[in-house]
Amino acid sequence: LDRVREPLERYFNWLEANVQASSAPGLYFQTNFGSGMDNVPRGAESPMAWVDMSSQQALAALMLSRISGALGLTDSTMLWAAKHAAITAAIEDRMWNERDSFYYDLAPSGAHAGVQHIGAFWTLLSEVAAPERARLLAAHLSDPRSFLRHHPVPSVSAADPGYDPRGNYWRGGVWAPTNYMVV
């Protein structure tokens, strides 16, 4: 753990310095190609903050806190726990949509981008979603109108106008890495 801690911290810090959304402090962005989710429809406006990238940073902070704790590094444990809490608060405050019970990317205007994609489920793995919100979000996974399809879990909700029942790469395709994350 001691050998991986420092490179993981450096990578987190690089991402914090280089991919933090300038108009949404505490949240992060990525590019379609950089994320590997090349043609996920993320809304009419290019999102300024991504729920998946932000949740992945929260997960990194959470794991760094746990690694530091296992190594007995009290100050580092507290630092990373505080970073996880700050990212969690930013996601919970700005990306959760009460009406839809879903986490959305943010458009440059600060509005929810409105596309329900598999990236929102990173909030479960990263322990960002509060218990009640986690339950409401997970309910989408058992809804045949959204993510419970013949081949679960599609990259985009079947209810989204950008969904393609033939998959069309990331517009409804089912991918092993994202399904592994959901499981």
Side-chain angles (χ1 to χ4, degrees):
L1 289 177
D2 195 41
R3 286 194 350 226
V4 299
R5 182 184 56 82
E6 185 182 346
L8 291 174
E9 287 179 349
R10 283 196 318 264
Y11 184 58
F12 180 98
N13 292 332
W14 184 89
L15 290 171
E16 188 173 53
N18 293 286
V19 297
Q20 197 162 167
S22 59
S23 49
L27 298 173
Y28 297 82
F29 70 92
Q30 184 51 270
T31 65
N32 287 353
F33 292 121
S35 74
M37 295 169 60
D38 301 11
N39 70 335
V40 165
R42 290 192 182 256
E45 296 181 67
S46 176
M48 68 174 172
W50 287 21
V51 65
D52 39 346
M53 185 64 195
S54 298
S55 297
Q56 290 164 12
Q57 273 294 84
L59 178 61
L62 178 64
M63 292 301 111
L64 282 164
S65 175
R66 291 180 181 167
I67 288 169
S68 297
L71 294 171
L73 304 171
T74 306
D75 290 345
S76 184
T77 302
M78 292 178 3
L79 168 82
W80 292 110
K83 285 184 182 277
H84 179 264
I87 298 167
T88 294
I91 293 169
E92 289 282 81
D93 290 345
R94 292 183 276 178
M95 297 181 135
W96 176 253
N97 183 289
E98 203 65 46
R99 183 192 72 225
D100 298 343
S101 299
F102 207 83
Y103 290 95
Y104 288 111
D105 296 333
L106 293 181
S109 64
H112 291 146
V115 177
Q116 292 185 355
H117 62 77
I118 199 166
F121 297 104
W122 278 100
T123 60
L124 301 174
L125 183 61
S126 62
E127 300 180 18
V128 163
E132 179 60 15
R133 287 182 177 178
R135 186 187 65 72
L136 292 168
L137 178 64
H140 290 274
L141 295 170
S142 59
D143 182 352
R145 295 166 299 171
S146 58
F147 289 97
L148 182 61
R149 308 302 292 162
H150 179 70
H151 297 287
V153 174
S155 50
V156 176
S157 168
D160 190 84
Y163 174 79
D164 184 337
R166 294 165 300 173
N168 190 5
Y169 208 46
W170 285 92
R171 293 185 176 268
V174 175
W175 293 86
T178 51
N179 270 262
Y180 182 76
M181 172 271 298
V182 169
V183 171

